[in-house]
Amino acid sequence: MATGGGEGARTWRRRAPKRDLAVWFGWLLGLLVTLECFRVIADVTIWEFVWDAPQQAGDLFSRMVPPRWPYIDRLWLPLWDTINIATLGTLLAIVMAVPVAFCAASNTTPSRLLVRPVALFIIVASRSINSLIWALLLVSIIGPGVLAGIIAIALRSIGFVAKLLYEAIEEIDTAQVEAVAATGAGPGQVLTYGIVPQIMPAFAGISVFRWDINIRESTVLGLVGAGGIGLELQASISTLAWPQASVIFLLILGTVLVSEWVSARIRHAII
Amino acid sequence: MLELKGLEKRYPTGDRALRGVDLVVPQGQVMALIGPSGAGKSTLIRCINRLVEPTAGSVRLGDLELTRLGARELRRARRRMGMIFQEYALVERLSVMENLLSGRLGYVGFWRSWFRRFPAADIAQAFAILDRVGLTEFVDKRADALSGGQRQRVGIARALLQDPDILLVDEPTASLDPKTSRQIMRLIVELCEERGLAAIINIHDVALAQQFARRIVGLRMGEVVYDGPPADLTAEVLTTIYGEEDWSRTIRREDEEEEDPEAARDGTAEEAGGPPAPDRERLAGMT
């Protein structure tokens, strides 16, 4: 925003010349870094493998079709497990995430100095570890099976639900809260009348959205032994039974489509 | 009944919003508080029910010193002070009845309010007030489905359901059109008369203040610079409150009132009806 010109026509530029130069230099630097990265990656790539990639992919695909459809009868139970892992894991996460969210939101936390940092740490810790890794840890702690899957999903989801929920809590309209407080309501009543109705749409949206994500995540948990359809996938791939793997892929695709549709309907109905 | 003495508020930023306000509001008096933006009008009424904590001075409601109350006693005292807000401040996603009954929260325990099991007397009273403000058919509508004027009626009804001694009214008409503004002001003043309530009404619109209040207090830079009847509000007074401006068209003269067809029609309608009967058409339909 440098202006100048003196007596003649007044000129205007977005930036001062020095800043202009700096911006151009920044772009140049970015370009050079990109080119250098490309060179390093190219050096360590075995190009023979890349060149025949289309051939390999075609080969794999030809082994996958036709899918072995009768195999699907053995998949219904694992699929049911998968859906249960996602649903129960989400419910467990919600139960734990709601208090964490209220402790983390700066306008509802009991103590900004003590409680809020702890709540924020829980959120970060939960979010920083992928549910597959949680599952890996839990399988070695409580053994393989559906329970490990449920807890893995729950631990990963706490952070997600709590973070989005506490952001929603911080964005509420304070006038409505003030109005309820002004009637002489107690703290619990201010919470349930002034704050909860305002965050209900966000809460419902977040929960359903997370359930939707968890359906997808729970399909792979079986890869590390945490139950569900992923166990079958693991077994099929390790025995090179590609026609079975393709049945599983199609089933997962169908499940995700259904869950997407269900969550869209629920969100529509609630909000 | 309400007595402020040396009331001061200094915000953490250093702004002195109130600089020693002394004010006495007797029972049943409707008082308008005027003044430029930033004069401390909102801070003043929020210091009374301590949505904002005053830094110094005293606030007495009847025999009760409000500034020294603990959390529990403050909640009990707040029941006696109904508040009405500029942007209505209804809980948007709750129904009209739930918003009304939230005026009873100070009297009802947590679990009863959680399960919406309010005492039958409260519900009967809520219906009566809803009738009075002309919104009976909206009882189960969600607050965000109402128009501005209707919402403000719900806000008024919520405050009345507290069974207060005084109304604290913060810019009740600032978000409303001129006609609805007059209806809302008239409703507030009528209700105060019916129930013998005192009221402090923050208001920007000088003409509205003159039309509806019996006493006007002018606030400037956190100090009371005028306190008197609406008729004495001269151009000089307005200049002390707001600063230099051409006030000749703002001040209401007695003869002008008759020329306003809207004011004349409503005035006769109400005088004929004796104690003001709720005119549903006027109250609910057109807003």
Side-chain angles (χ1 to χ4, degrees), chain A residues 175-176 178-189 192-194 197-198 200-201 270, chain B residues 46 75 78 81 85 89-93 102 105-106 108-110 113-114 116 118 158 162:
Chain A
Q176 298 178 34
E178 259 193 342
V180 175
T183 64
Q189 292 171 323
T192 52
Y193 272 72
Q198 291 196 59
M200 273 320 278
I270 295 175
Chain B
R46 281 176 160 75
R75 288 205 295 274
R78 276 180 177 167
M81 300 177 280
F85 295 81
L90 302 180
V91 183
E92 297 281 311
R93 293 180 50 82
S102 68
L105 286 177
V108 171
F110 175 79
S113 66
W114 170 265
R116 309 293 195 261
F118 286 84
R158 171 176 65 187
Q162 281 176 236

Side-chain angles (χ1 to χ4, degrees), chain A residues 211-231:
Chain A
W211 175 75
D212 189 25
I213 295 173
N214 284 344
I215 291 274
R216 271 168 277 168
E217 293 212 334
S218 61
T219 56
V220 295
L221 290 184
L223 292 178
V224 295
I229 205 167
L231 277 174

